[in-house]
Amino acid sequence: MLDSFDAAAVRRWCAHGLDALRRHQREIDDLNVYPVPDGDTGTNLVLTFDAALKALSGQDGDRPLTLAARGALLGARGNSGVIVAQMLRALADTLPAEAGGRAFAGALGHAADAAYRAVAAPVEGTVLSVARAAADAAERAGSDDLATVVRHAADGAARALERTPEQLPALARAGVVDAGGRGLCVLLDALAEIVTGEAPERTPHAGAQKQPQQAQRPAREHGIGEAFAYEVQYLLEAPDEAVAPLKEKLARLGDSLAVVGTGDGTWNVHVHVDAIGPAIEAGVEAGRPYRIDVTRFEDQLEQRERATVVLCAGDGLARIFAAEGAHVVTTPSPAEILGAIRASGAGQIVVLPNDKDAAAVAATAAAEARAAGKQVAVVPTRSPVQALAALAVRDPQRRFEDDVIEMAEASGACRYAEVTVAARAALTVAGPCQPGDVIALIDGEVALIGADTASVCRDLIDRLLGAGGELVTLLTGEGATEALVEELGAHVAGRWPFVEVNVYEGGQPHYPLLVGVE
C-alpha cells in the first residue's frame, strides 16, 4: 500500500493503466454509441495512454507525470482521449512531487474542472460526469490517506458511470453506459490497484446490442446538433490569444469540440464536422496545424468489426493484399503484427502469416491481442497463394468462428509451390543440387531440380495439375520475365485447356515464381 503518489507510482500507473485499457478495449469500443456509434473510444484511449507511456520511455526525473501528460496531449485520439489527456495535464500542474490523500483529492478536482473546460459544449452523462463524481467522492473522503482517497474516487466514478443512462437517453435506448466514462473508470481502478494492492471488484458492462447500422445510430440529443460525417483532429502551434476565435469558428462548423494545450503553445484540436476544409482552414488562420487526421464515421462503422492482417514480402504482394482490404505487415515481428491488429480498429481479426517460420511470431502477437480483449485467429497459411485463397472466401456475414474455418479450409485446399535458385550444394529428396541450380519446392519440399527456369516451371505446373485442379495462381517475383509468364500461360492453355490461370506481379525476393493450385 502506497503512502504517497510519487514518481514511481506515476510510472507504475501509466504502465498498468495502459494494460488495463487494452484488456477492456473491445468492451469500451462496443459501448460506444454517443455521439456517434463509431466504436473507437476504447481504441482511442489505448492510443492516448500509449503515447503517455512512450513519453516516459528512457526519461528519468522526478516529474514523470508532466512528461506523460505532454505525451498524452500530443498523441490524444478522439474526444475522450483529449479529455483524459487534459485531466493528466491538470494533475501534473497541481500535484506535488509526493502527494498524500488531500493533495490528490484537490488535484483530481482541478482535473475535473479542466475536463469541462476542454469541451466547448459539456454534456452530462459522459466522461465529464464521471470525472466530476470521482473528484467529489475523493474530496468527501476527508482523509490524507492516499489509499482511502483513491478508493473513494474509483468507487464514486463507478457509481456515476451507472447513472449515465439516466442522463443520456441515447445510452438508455442502447442499454449501455458511457464509453468514455467506462474508460476513465478503468484508469481509476488501475490506480486504486497500484495504491492499495487490491483490484476493485466491478460488474462487467455489456456492449450495445448489434443492430443494422441505421438502427444502431442514436438520435442526437437536443441542443447538440445533427450527427456529423467526419472527425477532424490535428496538433496546432498557435499563441494563446488565437485559441478563443478558433473555438468560435469550429463551434459554428460542428460539435464534439475539444481544444487543449500543452502549455507551450501547442494545442490538440478535435471536432466533428461535415465540411473538412473549413475546419482545417480555421487552424491555418490560428497558427500552424500539423499531424492532421480525418476519419469518416461511416468507414469506421463498415470496417471496425472484422479485419485481416497479412504478412508478406514484396511491394507487389503488399499492393495485392491491400487491394483486398487487408492490413499488410512486411516486417514479421510480434510488435509490428500487434501494431497492425490495433491499427485495424476491429474487434475480430484473422492473421495470415504466409510462412511456417512466421506462424509462431503471428501466434505470439495474437496472444497479446487476445489479452487486450481482441478476438484473433491465426490461419496457418504457408504461402501468399494460400492467403489469396483464404481471402477469396471471406464472408463478414458469417459467424467469426465459421469464417475462420472456411478460410482455413480454402487455404489448406490450395497446394503451393515455389521456384528459386540454390545458393549452395545440398542433398535433397529430389537428388543433389549445386549452387545456381533452379529448384522447385512443393509444400516446402524440393520436388524438381534443373538448369533452366522455364522448363522447371513448366514441369512444376504439370506435376501440380496432374493431381487435379481448376485454378492456377502465378505470383511473379524477382528474376521473372514477361517472356517466362507468356510461355507458362501458353503451356497451360495448350496442355490444360480447362484450367484458369491468374497472374499477379508479387515482387517477392528470392522466388521468381510462386504457384498455387486450387
Side-chain angles (χ1 to χ4, degrees):
M1 188 172 294
L2 301 182
D3 295 327
S4 66
F5 190 64
D6 55 13
V10 169
R11 294 180 182 276
R12 289 177 60 195
W13 179 41
C14 287
H16 190 54
L18 178 58
D19 287 342
L21 285 172
R22 284 173 173 161
R23 288 195 304 273
H24 294 278
Q25 181 174 343
R26 183 170 182 201
E27 171 205 335
I28 298 170
D29 281 345
D30 285 347
L31 291 171
N32 199 168
V33 297
Y34 181 83
V36 291
D38 50 2
D40 62 353
T41 297
T43 301
N44 285 340
L45 288 172
V46 166
L47 293 172
T48 301
F49 236 64
D50 183 59
L53 188 60
K54 285 178 178 175
L56 292 177
S57 299
Q59 299 288 336
D60 296 321
D62 59 355
R63 298 298 295 172
L65 194 54
T66 300
L67 294 173
R70 179 174 173 79
L73 282 163
L74 294 179
R77 294 285 296 273
N79 206 40
S80 294
V82 170
I83 291 170
V84 169
Q86 182 72 345
M87 292 181 68
L88 285 178
R89 182 192 169 188
L91 289 174
D93 289 345
T94 53
L95 277 173
E98 295 186 5
R102 286 193 171 84
F104 188 84
L108 202 56
H110 286 293
D113 292 341
Y116 275 84
R117 288 196 302 269
V119 179
V123 176
E124 298 302 327
T126 64
V127 62
L128 300 177
S129 304
V130 176
R132 173 60 66 202
D136 290 346
E139 188 66 31
R140 285 196 303 271
S143 173
D144 200 36
D145 178 65
L146 181 65
T148 299
V149 169
V150 169
R151 194 181 294 114
H152 274 71
D155 290 345
R159 289 191 297 269
L161 180 67
E162 297 299 330
R163 293 193 298 271
T164 56
E166 302 170 13
Q167 299 169 294
L168 273 181
L171 300 177
R173 285 193 297 270
V176 297
V177 295
D178 178 68
R182 175 65 179 131
L184 180 58
C185 285
V186 168
L187 290 174
L188 290 173
D189 283 348
L191 176 60
E193 185 174 359
I194 289 295
V195 172
T196 68
E198 297 179 355
E201 294 185 5
R202 305 293 185 208
T203 302
H205 295 281
Q209 192 173 28
K210 297 300 177 188
Q211 304 169 13
Q213 288 180 7
Q214 285 301 113
Q216 187 183 12
R217 186 186 298 277
R220 301 303 297 268
E221 297 309 301
H222 177 70
I224 303 301
E226 299 298 325
F228 290 92
Y230 299 95
E231 177 185 58
V232 176
Q233 190 161 6
Y234 50 82
L235 295 180
L236 176 70
E237 290 182 357
D240 292 358
E241 58 271 19
V243 174
L246 171 67
K247 287 183 177 180
E248 292 178 6
K249 292 176 184 176
L250 293 178
R252 290 194 295 268
L253 294 173
D255 73 356
S256 294
L257 173 61
V259 180
V260 300
T262 62
D264 59 359
T266 302
W267 307 83
N268 192 316
V269 180
H270 172 279
V271 67
H272 293 175
V273 295
D274 281 326
I276 301 169
I280 297 174
E281 290 169 4
V284 173
E285 293 174 4
R288 186 180 75 87
Y290 63 102
R291 270 174 47 181
I292 299 169
D293 184 72
V294 178
T295 300
R296 191 172 80 101
F297 290 122
E298 287 298 333
D299 290 341
Q300 289 187 322
L301 288 166
E302 293 166 3
Q303 299 173 5
R304 79 176 186 89
E305 283 303 319
R306 195 169 296 178
T308 307
V309 173
V310 180
L311 281 63
C312 69
D315 293 339
L317 286 175
R319 287 192 294 270
I320 291 169
F321 289 124
E324 290 291 331
H327 298 262
V328 177
V329 174
T330 56
T331 305
S333 69
E336 292 292 330
I337 299 170
L338 191 58
I341 289 173
R342 292 171 181 158
S344 74
Q348 299 173 331
I349 304 98
V350 176
V351 182
L352 306 176
N354 295 340
D355 183 280
K356 63 181 179 62
D357 295 325
V361 177
T364 300
E368 288 290 324
R370 291 189 198 103
K374 300 284 188 180
Q375 192 174 1
V376 184
V378 178
V379 174
T381 52
R382 296 195 169 194
S383 169
V385 293
Q386 290 189 320
L388 289 174
L391 291 171
V393 301
R394 284 177 303 172
D395 184 356
Q397 301 306 313
R398 278 195 293 252
R399 291 176 61 249
F400 179 68
E401 295 80 5
D402 294 339
D403 211 27
V404 171
I405 291 171
E406 290 291 331
M407 294 176 73
E409 289 180 348
S411 65
C414 177
R415 284 165 290 147
Y416 71 97
E418 305 146 318
V419 176
T420 187
V421 177
R424 60 182 64 88
L427 182 62
T428 74
V429 294
C433 69
Q434 300 298 322
D437 284 348
V438 179
I439 59 175
L441 300 90
I442 298 177
D443 294 338
E445 292 286 347
V446 177
L448 295 168
I449 302 172
D452 176 67
T453 301
S455 62
V456 170
C457 290
R458 287 196 306 269
D459 292 342
L460 171 64
I461 292 173
D462 288 343
R463 179 171 297 194
L464 289 169
L465 289 176
E470 299 173 343
L471 172 66
V472 174
T473 300
L474 304 179
L475 294 175
T476 61
E478 292 178 359
T481 63
E482 290 185 8
L484 173 65
V485 174
E486 291 175 0
E487 182 176 348
L488 295 179
H491 174 73
V492 174
R495 184 78 181 272
W496 309 93
F498 300 104
V499 173
E500 180 182 355
V501 179
N502 288 334
V503 181
Y504 303 98
E505 183 180 349
Q508 67 274 2
H510 311 306
Y511 295 95
L513 192 69
L514 301 178
V515 184
V517 173
E518 300 169 62

